[in-house]
Structures are given as structure tokens and as C-alpha cells.
Amino acid sequence: MKTTKKIVIDPITRIEGHLRAEVEVDEHGVVQEAYVSGQLFRGIEIILKDRDPRDAGLLAGRICGVCTNSHFRAAVSSVEDAYSLELPKNAEIIRDLMAMALFIQDHVVHFYHLHALDFVDVVSALEADPKATSKEAHKYSSAPYRNSNEHYEATIAKLQNFVKAGKLGPFSNGYWGHSEYKLSPEQNLIIISHYLEALKFQTNISKAVAIFGGKTPHPQSIVVGGVTSVADMLNPQRLNDYLFIIKEAKEFVDRAYLPDMKLLSTAYRDEIKAGVGRANGNFLSVGGYDFEGDQRLFCSGVIYGHDFTKVEPFNEHKITEEIDRAWYKDVEGEHKIEYTDLNEDGSLKTDKKEDKYSWIKAPRYDGNTMETGPLARVLVSYIKDNSLIKSFVDEFLESTSLELIDLSTTVGRNAARAIETSYICEYIFKLVSRLTQNIKYYDVDTWVKFDFDKLESEAKGRAFFEVPRGVLSHFVKIKDKKIENFSVIAPTTWNATPKNFDGKRGAYEEALIGLKIEDTSKPLEVLKVIHSFDPCLACAVHVLDTKGKELSHYKIKAF
Ligand code: NI
């Protein structure tokens, strides 16, 4: 079909970092081809070179201001793997407790503050009837969060103040009134009231990370060999503080976040059933978070092409990272920067199949592009009969009359994220009990003693973790007790991958194909699809120099 128009969105807002999307639409406004480009060059790995491996965590944590704890832990774990250090159970539990709190924080902030306004028309909420709103909320929860007339009246008053002052603040620049907004004024009001509540939530849940992390963002307490939060672990008040915050968070998740996802799944049912936002159906999960016995919160595995009848085992050696269409070139096995200018009109060069168009490299699993994140984790764990997660998925699907395949959509991706959050909130308490049991039986170890001078001078290690946005892997090579080479593949690197010589689209690009755009001057549909993946571009762009030599300088032309 003839392409008639190119739509460029740059930057895509309400994400972390700088992302650009170019979509080519036909005369009916249907997307025929998509190019997603990471517009931000990073290079933290270069800073890590020649450093003491024991400092890897603190430096790698600076890769991102959002995912700090994830990189902090993964970097330290990769060094521990290099030296084959076995950690005490308590150290892993404390690291998991920090990670779990981050999952909850990340998912709630993502939906309400980065994504909800793609579904929720703030201006329409002003017309809502508070009484009818409270009745509506009962359709999705038996005990809706702060569901009183007074609360909804106060929310409307707050919104009106924004409007009267002529300052919509965080709500300015929306595509209000767009035909893609499907919610009634009352439904809009429910989610907007939770948007405001989630601002408080965000602060509180961060405290939970800080209890064991010393601070957040950029926690301090993870060190090679264990954790330093010994006094916190042994102080019952600190454990209680943590539990109290999680209990409050669980209330919000179960009575606001998850019900809101049921509301969306009902209101956007046609879109879900039409498969809007579906990628190619290749899912990757590395699993993790040991729980009880051999149970883990998430299973590992690989699904191809939405074939839910089988999950193949994950094999880390099948991961490659390609650069054919990213701004790098391969010189004797090293990835050097090769920035090519844009077209004269400022658009990406994408006409030829070798044209380069992104700072993001192209990770492949056995040659395939993969989707990673909450949806991948939920699908892999559910299909592998993870007894912990099963009832959470079944309950959601039953109450919304949806099927498993429906989760592989824009709205479904959000539903999977909320299901996962609710699931984590449930099991986090049992993880704390494991810790207190250990302490009760005088197992209070939080670190393993090692003599750095006696460790091998050359070593290689890696760490794979499921983090809020998906699969994160860190690789470290140590020589003469210094970091010779450090490399990261982050969740967004997987999902926002550019094409390769093979022409295979990544999850973002694939999910955009076939999308019908009502008004090409207000491409809300494109934003919605991309936001559903929870992009983090600061994390996504990385330079890998396989031989540890200095990387070339780069120049970027302003336009
Ligand atoms: Ni990040």
C-alpha cells in the first residue's frame, strides 16, 4: 500500500530519557512501518573501565535516575559472580526486599503519572457526578479506594482550581477531547483521583527502599559480598516501618490500581479484542526471586509467536547484540561509534536497509527480537504453572472476561503490570517472615568475608535480573583487579531495539504496525502503545567495547 504520510514524535514525553518515533501511515491513517530511535547517547560503561570492581555498583547505579537500585544490585552481583562469592541468605532477602519495593513504586508511578493520561481525559472528569462516580467504582472493587462523595467533590474542586488559574500544570498539553478517549466523566474522575493519591504513594513507597538502602534513589547499602544494613535488619522497628509502608501500598494497589485496570479493560474491550498494541509474541523472562523451597516469584523461559502451549528454557548463551542499524560500527570486534547525520529535513535515515537510526543496540535471542517486562514475566510464569501467580491471573481474566492472549495488547500490558504488583504486595510479607525466622534462629549473617588481595586477578562474571521494566543483564570482565570491560543490556534495549540487517522489528516497532491513527496531528494512539512498555531510555543506550580499548569520540550535529 502506498505510504502517504510520515508522523514524527520527538521527543516522546512522560518517559525517562529521549525517544523518537517515526511512523509511516497510508492514506487511511494506518501505520505501515515504524522506526523507534534512542536519541540519547550514554557511556557509563566507559567510566567503569579501570575502576576497582568493588566500586562497580555505585558507578553503574548512575546509569539511570529511576532504575538506580536495579543497576546497583546487578553490577555488584556480576562482580560476585566473577569471584564466585556465595552470599548469606539474609543478604539476598534484603536485596530482594529493596527490589520488590521498587517494583511496586515503579509500576504505580508508571501507570498514573506516565501513562494514565493516554486513557483519561482530565477535562471530561470535571463533568462527573460524584454520586454516580462512587457507584461506578463499586463495579470494579468491593471496597474502592477513598470512594466517598466528599472525596470526589474535593478532587473536582482541585481540578477546577487548575483550570481557573489557567494553569493545567501536569495536565497541560493533553489531547483533551480526542476521540480515542473512551471513558465516561465518572470513570475519568475515578482514575484522576487515584492519580493525585498516587503522588503521595510515590513518596511513601520510596521510604521502603530507603529503609534497607540507606537512601533512594541511589541506595548505598549493597556491597560486594553482602549488604551493610545490618542494624536495620536487626531492629524490629525498622522491619515494622517497612511492613507498614507495604501494607499501605497494598491497600492502594488492591483497591485502586488493580480495579482501575479492570475498569480500563472493560472500557477498552474492543481495542483489546482487536489486538491493538500487540507485538510479535516473542517473550523472554529470566525469572528470579527465590521464595520458599524451590519456588520463585517469577519463572524463566522463552515463548515464541504467542505459542502458549510451550515455554522453552532460557539459555543465556543465545543472547547476541547487533549494531547493523545502530550508530556504531564493528572494528575488529569492537563496537565504535559511527554517527550518521539525519536527512536534511531532520528525519531519520531509514530508506536503505543498512541506514543507521538509533543509539540503542539490537539485542537478539537466538536471532529473534524479544519482548521483556511484566507481560513476559506473567505469561511465562503462568504458562509454567507457577502456583503463586496463577490465582492472580485467573481472577483478573475471569472478572474482565478476557483470555490470556488479550494481555498481549496495549491495555493488557498494563493489566499484567498491575497483576504483578498485586502479586508482589501479597508475597513480600512472607519474604519478611523468612528474614525474621532466620534472625530468630540466630542466623544474622549479612555478608561473606573475602580477602580481595587473594582473589583471582582475572575473572569474568554476569548477572541476570528481572527488574520492573524487564530483563536486565550486566557483564563484567576483570583484569589485574580492575574492570577491563563492563557491559549492560537493559529492558528497554530489548523492547526498543532498532531493526537489524534481518529487518526484524523490535517490540515497540511491531506493536505500532497496523495502528489506525484518527488524527495525524494528535497521534495519541502512538504514544499509548509506546508508553505501555514503560520506556527508560537512560537505561537503554550502551556502548560495548569488547576489547576494552578507548572508544572513539563522536560529534552530533545540531539541527
Ligand atoms: Ni532506567
Side-chain angles (χ1 to χ4, degrees):
M1 205 172 283
K2 205 175 141 261
T3 295
T4 56
K5 200 168 186 175
K6 187 184 260 185
I7 304 170
V8 178
I9 311 178
D10 184 13
I12 289 182
T13 53
R14 283 187 273 122
I15 62 165
E16 165 65 33
H18 304 270
L19 182 71
R20 174 186 179 111
E22 290 191 5
V23 295
E24 296 167 3
V25 296
D26 67 8
E27 63 271 34
H28 309 293
V30 176
V31 176
Q32 304 295 313
E33 189 52 275
Y35 294 92
V36 169
S37 168
Q39 291 282 300
L40 175 82
F41 174 78
R42 306 277 291 164
I44 301 273
E45 291 97 329
I46 302 169
I47 300 172
L48 276 147
K49 284 155 77 83
D50 296 329
R51 303 282 183 155
D52 188 314
R54 291 169 294 184
D55 290 338
L58 288 171
L59 292 164
R62 268 67 186 174
I63 286 173
C64 179
V66 178
C67 319
T68 62
N69 184 54
S70 304
H71 290 291
F72 184 32
R73 182 187 191 177
V76 172
S77 298
S78 69
V79 173
E80 287 163 347
D81 181 59
Y83 293 134
S84 306
L85 293 176
E86 193 127 340
L87 297 197
K89 278 189 216 110
N90 294 337
E92 292 288 12
I93 294 176
I94 286 176
R95 290 179 184 188
D96 282 351
L97 290 177
M98 288 161 65
M100 298 277 102
L102 191 74
F103 267 85
I104 302 169
Q105 193 234 15
D106 189 279
H107 288 354
V108 169
V109 170
H110 166 258
F111 177 66
Y112 289 101
H113 304 140
L114 302 177
H115 194 18
L117 301 185
D118 299 335
F119 299 99
V120 176
D121 188 331
V122 180
V123 177
S124 145
L126 291 170
E127 289 152 29
D129 169 28
K131 248 190 195 156
T133 304
S134 142
K135 214 174 145 195
E136 176 70 19
H138 272 287
K139 289 186 192 166
Y140 313 101
S141 166
S142 55
Y145 196 77
R146 297 205 66 186
N147 192 46
S148 67
N149 285 354
E150 293 75 20
H151 176 64
Y152 291 126
E153 275 162 16
T155 306
I156 292 176
K158 214 178 261 178
L159 292 176
Q160 271 164 346
N161 282 340
F162 274 126
V163 177
K164 266 188 218 148
K167 290 177 193 158
L168 273 169
F171 305 131
S172 58
N173 300 324
Y175 295 149
W176 314 130
H178 196 291
S179 64
E180 267 291 292
Y181 285 118
K182 306 263 201 287
L183 306 185
S184 69
E186 286 73 25
Q187 292 172 328
N188 282 317
L189 182 59
I190 293 171
I191 301 186
I192 274 299
S193 80
H194 296 159
Y195 176 113
L196 297 170
E197 293 295 320
L199 291 168
K200 282 179 253 167
F201 177 98
Q202 186 178 155
T203 319
N204 288 340
I205 192 77
S206 295
K207 289 180 193 160
V209 183
I211 283 176
F212 296 115
K215 66 194 261 290
T216 196
H218 302 304
Q220 307 268 25
S221 63
I222 301 179
V223 290
V224 172
V227 296
T228 59
S229 16
V230 193
D232 304 293
M233 182 186 87
L234 294 174
N235 181 346
Q237 186 57 47
R238 295 290 273 174
L239 288 174
N240 268 337
D241 289 346
Y242 179 89
L243 285 172
F244 183 77
I245 295 167
I246 299 295
K247 202 165 158 262
E248 274 194 341
K250 183 171 162 38
E251 283 243 337
F252 182 81
V253 169
D254 289 343
R255 294 171 59 194
Y257 183 27
L258 197 60
D260 284 351
M261 241 17 90
K262 291 178 181 173
L263 186 160
L264 273 196
S265 299
T266 311
Y268 284 83
R269 187 176 177 81
D270 292 348
E271 186 182 307
I272 294 173
K273 284 293 173 187
V276 172
R278 185 166 293 160
N280 63 11
N282 296 343
F283 297 101
L284 171 71
S285 166
V286 297
Y289 303 100
D290 289 340
F291 184 58
E292 273 172 349
D294 54 1
Q295 276 185 320
R296 308 179 91 190
L297 278 183
F298 303 116
C299 298
S300 72
V302 180
I303 295 170
Y304 288 111
H306 290 113
D307 180 357
F308 295 161
T309 61
K310 59 175 185 280
V311 178
E312 300 198 2
F314 164 67
N315 175 355
E316 62 179 276
H317 301 294
K318 290 187 174 175
I319 295 176
T320 54
E321 205 175 32
E322 317 290 337
I323 51 160
D324 300 345
R325 305 201 62 182
W327 283 310
Y328 309 92
K329 64 179 169 186
D330 200 314
V331 182
E332 295 163 12
E334 291 174 42
H335 291 177
K336 295 203 173 191
I337 292 162
E338 184 186 42
Y339 182 71
T340 50
D341 274 334
L342 305 175
N343 291 317
E344 279 189 3
D345 65 356
S347 61
L348 297 170
K349 269 197 181 136
T350 52
D351 291 344
K352 286 183 264 158
K353 73 169 183 154
E354 66 271 23
D355 278 339
K356 292 173 180 283
Y357 66 93
S358 182
W359 285 116
I360 301 173
K361 290 187 187 186
R364 295 290 184 264
Y365 183 84
D366 211 7
N368 298 291
T369 58
M370 305 302 291
E371 176 170 348
T372 167
L375 175 60
R377 285 192 285 264
V378 166
L379 289 176
V380 167
S381 301
Y382 183 85
I383 295 166
K384 282 185 89 174
D385 277 327
N386 181 324
S387 60
L388 304 175
I389 206 168
K390 211 149 174 66
S391 61
F392 286 80
V393 179
D394 285 335
E395 194 277 332
F396 190 92
L397 295 179
E398 268 162 39
S399 65
T400 51
S401 308
L402 292 175
E403 295 166 61
L404 203 56
I405 182 74
D406 297 326
L407 294 179
S408 184
T409 53
T410 296
V411 178
R413 209 166 273 124
N414 284 291
R417 196 174 281 115
I419 292 168
E420 172 178 284
T421 315
S422 166
Y423 166 63
I424 288 170
C425 283
E426 177 81 18
Y427 288 106
I428 211 167
F429 294 100
K430 297 195 175 169
L431 210 56
V432 175
S433 317
R434 275 186 61 199
L435 182 65
T436 48
Q437 280 295 318
N438 291 347
I439 298 169
K440 205 170 135 192
Y441 292 103
Y442 306 105
D443 173 7
V444 291
D445 288 349
T446 57
W447 58 286
V448 56
K449 203 172 179 180
F450 65 93
D451 185 345
F452 187 65
D453 295 330
K454 288 189 183 144
L455 293 172
E456 306 91 337
S457 71
E458 279 191 41
K460 256 170 36 176
R462 86 284 181 267
F464 287 90
F465 281 101
E466 284 294 341
V467 299
R469 291 170 167 89
V471 175
L472 173 66
S473 38
H474 280 208
F475 306 87
V476 66
K477 201 173 163 197
I478 298 163
K479 199 179 173 187
D480 299 331
K481 297 272 166 69
K482 283 180 181 165
I483 296 172
E484 188 189 31
N485 190 25
F486 202 90
S487 156
V488 174
I489 304 178
T492 303
T493 323
W494 283 103
N495 292 336
T497 172
K499 293 172 191 63
N500 203 11
F501 268 132
D502 57 18
K504 284 177 189 161
R505 297 184 194 102
Y508 284 18
E509 292 181 347
E510 189 64 41
L512 291 166
I513 305 301
L515 197 64
K516 169 112 173 75
I517 296 168
E518 287 300 331
D519 177 352
T520 51
S521 70
K522 293 177 177 173
L524 178 60
E525 297 88 345
V526 174
L527 291 176
K528 225 162 72 176
V529 168
I530 290 183
H531 282 153
S532 74
F533 289 93
D534 193 6
C536 191
L537 269 293
C539 279
V541 179
H542 294 281
V543 183
L544 168 66
D545 171 16
T546 51
K547 286 197 182 148
K549 291 192 188 135
E550 198 173 285
L551 288 144
S552 53
H553 292 283
Y554 79 103
K555 260 186 191 166
I556 185 161
K557 216 172 165 185
F559 63 90

